Amino acid sequence: MAANGKKIWMDGRLVDFADAHVHVLNHTLHYGVGVFEGIRAYPTARGGAVFRLREHVERLITSAKFYHMPIPYSREEIEQAILETQAANALLPSYIRPLVYRGEPALGVKNLKGKVSLAIAAIPAKKYLGDGSEAGIRAKISPFRKPSSEALPSFAKATGNYANSYLAGADATLEGYEEAILLDCRGFVAEGTGENIFVVRRGTVYTPGLESDILLGITRDSVIRIATDLGFPVVQKLVSVNELLSADEAFFSGTYAEIAPIKEVGHYTIGTRAPGPITRKIMGVFFRVIKGEVPEYADWLTAVPQPARVASPAAARG
Ligand code: PMP
């Protein structure tokens, strides 16, 4: 992903992109103890809008609390700061990355005391899984499994969890695939490196649940709502590899990936190798929802105010 926004919000100040530094001995860098979000802003007929802002900020706060990193800003202040960052960077579509970290020099893994900071970047968003991703992508089952939530809780979006995604993603890339599908530690299908997964079999939409050590994706939640509203039964259950390989349709969902049909898993073809009818119906609604074209889901979008009209309470506190 290209990384060249103009300004980064750091603890209440908008600093130039090139000046957004932290100390090399910071705790988060060494031990992977930080939490973050990935959020998208889209152009709509009424201007820029952030998709499911509240849910992302709530997940950030939940993740931070679990990691003993209370964020020194309220939910409302974080939402304002995200809107302020988006407005200051004036780019659409954008990918917004809030990160909660301990940025001061502090070696020693048990450090609970270091100052907890919040940084928010907004950078240009592209298609994560490549330009062909709406036509279907090639994925492989990863040799790397998800860690059990008893070791690393999957509901928290922690930086350290992504060493696992990195290994799986690197293996898939080196093998010539666009994405990896990770199994949970019992061998059931869990998720992609940064996406949830859905399979469609005989008209029913299935997706793994929290017991498969997945991140409870906000796009996943949106897909479940849209599919249900379209009249398709949606079932959260353990999904076996065979159920995936013999599925009529399969697709990934995620903030960066949006909805990406899967056309191959290893050397197995999924359905007709083209996005299936149920996937296409769900995608059709989703891609209209994010443009603000479906009134029933209008509350999933938060308008980005013009820069002059944004005043962040957190910024005022400095
Ligand atoms: N699983 C993992 C491991 C992820 O990193 C992401 C991206 N945040 C998702 C699933 C999808 O979650 P969301 O739809 O909230 O972006």
Side-chain angles (χ1 to χ4, degrees), residues 52 71 79 93 96 118 130 150 156 168 170 188 202 224 236 256:
R52 305 204 67 175
I71 308 172
E79 288 182 11
I96 303 168
L118 173 65
E150 284 158 30
F188 290 102
R202 283 181 224 97
I224 292 172
Q236 297 183 49
Y256 211 82

Side-chain angles (χ1 to χ4, degrees), residues 36-39 51 55-56 59 95 97 128 146 154 156-158 161-162 164-165 182 190-197 213-222 253-258:
F36 68 104
E37 272 304 316
I39 310 174
F51 187 64
E55 289 82 353
H56 281 286
R59 189 170 67 185
Y95 179 77
R97 165 58 59 83
Y128 173 49
K146 294 282 303 179
S154 66
K157 193 166 166 63
N161 292 1
Y162 288 82
N164 176 241
S165 286
L182 289 91
E191 59 184 350
T193 62
E195 309 85 27
N196 294 112
I197 191 166
D213 301 319
I214 61 162
L215 182 74
L216 287 173
I218 291 162
T219 321
R220 173 183 181 275
D221 179 72
S222 310
S253 73
T255 296
Y256 211 82
E258 300 174 309

Side-chain angles (χ1 to χ4, degrees), residues 86-224:
Q86 172 57 36
N89 284 284
L91 36 93
L92 287 168
S94 75
Y95 179 77
I96 303 168
R97 165 58 59 83
L99 171 70
V100 178
Y101 62 103
R102 289 193 179 96
E104 291 171 345
L107 289 190
V109 72
K110 288 183 291 181
N111 180 358
L112 289 171
K113 297 213 179 82
K115 180 187 168 209
V116 175
S117 288
L118 173 65
I120 306 165
I123 61 174
K126 285 201 200 132
K127 286 261 168 236
Y128 173 49
L129 298 166
D131 283 338
S133 59
E134 280 168 36
I137 64 148
R138 297 177 57 247
K140 67 165 282 194
I141 306 273
S142 181
F144 296 97
R145 294 206 174 171
K146 294 282 303 179
S148 155
S149 282
E150 284 158 30
L152 282 172
S154 66
F155 71 85
K157 193 166 166 63
T159 58
N161 292 1
Y162 288 82
N164 176 241
S165 286
Y166 169 81
L167 288 173
D171 170 75
T173 303
L174 293 170
E175 298 267 328
Y177 291 89
E178 285 147 316
E179 186 51 293
I181 297 169
L182 289 91
L183 308 182
D184 68 21
C185 46
R186 294 158 303 179
F188 290 102
V189 175
E191 59 184 350
T193 62
E195 309 85 27
N196 294 112
I197 191 166
F198 287 82
V199 301
V200 180
R201 295 171 61 85
R202 283 181 224 97
T204 298
V205 179
Y206 299 96
T207 193
L210 197 54
E211 66 278 13
S212 284
D213 301 319
I214 61 162
L215 182 74
L216 287 173
I218 291 162
T219 321
R220 173 183 181 275
D221 179 72
S222 310
V223 166
I224 292 172

